């Protein structure tokens, strides 16, 4: 009698295969657009869609970009409820990333800012007090003018990585390649963590991997654009995986805190996840005493990471001051900025200049602080409601053990979903929004959200905001974009108010 072989995977549907190869064609077209008119070192700065169209390769560039983005977005959207299998999702995401891995930088010129900031630090100048222009970076002409005189807004871990890229790369091209390798390493770390987090949250890994890794923003902005958000996400997901795998264990909480601290020292926005990570790391009953104990271990690891990296870099905490310059750019894609624009436009109609943008932004940040507290409190109250099945010692029967297992999944999902919504609130209420910011909550929503359309649709729309050379269409659609964003915000608020129980 022949022993049974390994299980045969179910056949892949024609629709799924069509999506795979449509997305691959889209990725190739985007890579072609990058070579024709991407964010190349010698590309003209301050371009507009009109000036790009009038360039020799302009029509081909914009056509390849538009069709490629449509194909990639459509293919990703078509399987938003889940790929045929986890392995299939990994392979497809990798196939789509390959053409963009060898393409020039696309979607923004931030990677040149990274290179100059790394050069500044590698040459003994504090990037948190001196802009790259004053530091004498030899690649200054490649950096967008708005970022030439501002200090670096990133933490010491990323400054160390950027300086390492400069040392390994030598020239500009080698530095860009090294920065892209670092970004891809961050994505690979995230990819390794997704199945474990999906199991902990009780969602299919094939859906989580597909939504988090195959999206158009990942290929264009995290791979081709080499944004440091990829490193932040990798460390963030790794820290959360340690929390849910080793809840309540001091060593695990210290390690998780250290990983989350490293994520914060790449990009400070990761800090909003930390309070929810504490909830995910509590294995037993949800009491204030247990909360303080587990919070202490996690905070200890996080503070150790902050102190060690600040000391090793020799930069101290100067990076905190650099965060104030992250809002220097004003675009309607940030809802608070859009509302400020509309108020300014209304004031101009009656001969006034309210200068409302900084005021509305400040109010939004205060609102964000309140929203984060409410989200955490709701997660805490929900988890406390699970106390009756939280203690493993009650699981003496098969039914009880099954109930406890379901409770563990529910607890992880509540905490991780709270972290996801916290990142959504951070993106929505921040002074600035760039398309790649949507990747922050995307990974956690892929792990926890019951419905996908509400977050997949805006993420897909964000893929059309940046042209290959880094021109942000929000810059050339200021007034209509601000009016549309404000109208959308009011619509969402009204509908939310109507749905609330009275």
């Amino acid at each position: 009698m022949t022993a049974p072989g390994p299980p045969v995977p179910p056949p892949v549907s024609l629709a799924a295969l069509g999506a795979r190869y449509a997305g691959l064609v889209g990725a190739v077209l985007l890579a072609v657009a990058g070579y024709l008119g991407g964010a190349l070192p010698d590309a003209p700065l301050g371009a507009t869609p009109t000036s790009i169209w009038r360039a020799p390769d302009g029509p081909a560039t914009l056509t390849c970009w538009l069709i490629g983005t449509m194909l990639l977005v459509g293919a990703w959207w078509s399987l938003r409820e889940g790929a045929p299998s986890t392995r299939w999702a990994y392979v497809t995401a990798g196939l789509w990333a390959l053409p963009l891995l060898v393409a020039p930088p696309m979607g923004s010129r931030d990677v040149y800012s990274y290179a100059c900031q790394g050069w500044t630090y590698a040459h003994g100048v504090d990037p948190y007090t001196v802009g790259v222009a004053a530091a004498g970076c030899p690649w200054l002409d490649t950096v967008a003018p708005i970022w030439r005189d501002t200090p670096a807004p990133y933490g010491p871990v990323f400054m160390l990585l950027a300086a390492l890229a400069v040392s390994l790369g030598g020239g500009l091209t080698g530095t860009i390649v090294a920065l892209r390798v670092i970004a891809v390493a961050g994505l690979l770390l995230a990819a390794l963590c997704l199945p474990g987090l999906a199991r902990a949250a009780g969602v299919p890994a094939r859906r989580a991997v597909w939504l988090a890794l195959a999206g158009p923003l990942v290929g264009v902005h995290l791979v081709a654009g080499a944004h440091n958000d990829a490193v932040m996400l990798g460390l963030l997901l790794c820290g959360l995986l340690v929390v849910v795998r080793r809840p309540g264990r001091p060593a695990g909480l210290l390690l998780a805190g250290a990983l989350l601290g490293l994520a914060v020292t790449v990009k400070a926005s990761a800090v909003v996840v930390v309070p929810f990570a504490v909830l995910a790391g509590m294995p037993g009953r949800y009491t204030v005493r247990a909360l303080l104990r587990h919070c202490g271990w996690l905070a200890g690891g996080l503070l150790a990471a902050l102190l060690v990296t600040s000391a090793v870099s020799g930069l101290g905490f100067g990076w905190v001051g650099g965060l104030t310059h992250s809002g220097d750019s004003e675009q309607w894609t940030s809802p608070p900025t859009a509302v400020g624009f509309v108020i300014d436009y209304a004031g101009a109609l009656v001969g006034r200049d309210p200068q409302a943008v900084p005021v509305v932004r400040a109010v939004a940040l205060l609102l964000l602080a309140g929203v984060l507290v409410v989200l955490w409190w709701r997660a805490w109250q929900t988890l406390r409601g699970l106390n009756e099945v939280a203690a493993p010692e009650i699981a003496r029967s098969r039914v009880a053990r099954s109930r406890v297992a379901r409770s563990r999944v529910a607890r992880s999902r509540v905490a991780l979903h709270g972290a996801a919504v916290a990142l959504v609130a951070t993106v929505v209420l921040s002074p600035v929004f760039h398309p790649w910011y949507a990747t922050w909550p995307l990974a956690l929503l892929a792990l926890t959200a019951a419905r996908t359309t509400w977050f997949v649709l805006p993420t897909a729309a964000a893929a059309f905001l940046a042209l290959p050379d880094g021109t942000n269409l929000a810059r050339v659609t200021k007034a209509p974009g601000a009016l549309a964003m404000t109208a959308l915000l009011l619509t969402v608020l009204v509908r939310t108010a109507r749905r609330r129980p009275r």
Side-chain angles (χ1 to χ4, degrees), residues 422-465:
L423 285 172
V424 171
T426 302
V427 170
V428 170
L429 294 173
S430 289
V432 176
F433 172 82
H434 295 295
W436 50 94
Y437 288 7
T439 62
W440 304 350
L442 178 63
L444 289 178
L445 288 172
L447 291 163
T448 60
R451 292 178 294 179
T452 60
T453 301
W454 71 271
F455 67 89
V456 171
L457 184 59
T459 301
F464 292 91
L465 286 174

Side-chain angles (χ1 to χ4, degrees), residues 51 109 137 222 248 290 326 395 413 428 497:
S51 66
R109 305 188 68 84
C137 177
L222 301 191
S326 60
R413 192 163 185 169
V428 170

Side-chain angles (χ1 to χ4, degrees), residues 352-376:
R352 300 293 182 90
D353 183 15
Q355 296 187 355
V357 171
V359 176
V360 177
R361 283 177 160 185
V363 171
L365 289 176
L366 291 174
L367 179 60
L368 173 61
V371 168
L372 293 175
V373 171
V374 170
L375 289 173
W376 185 89

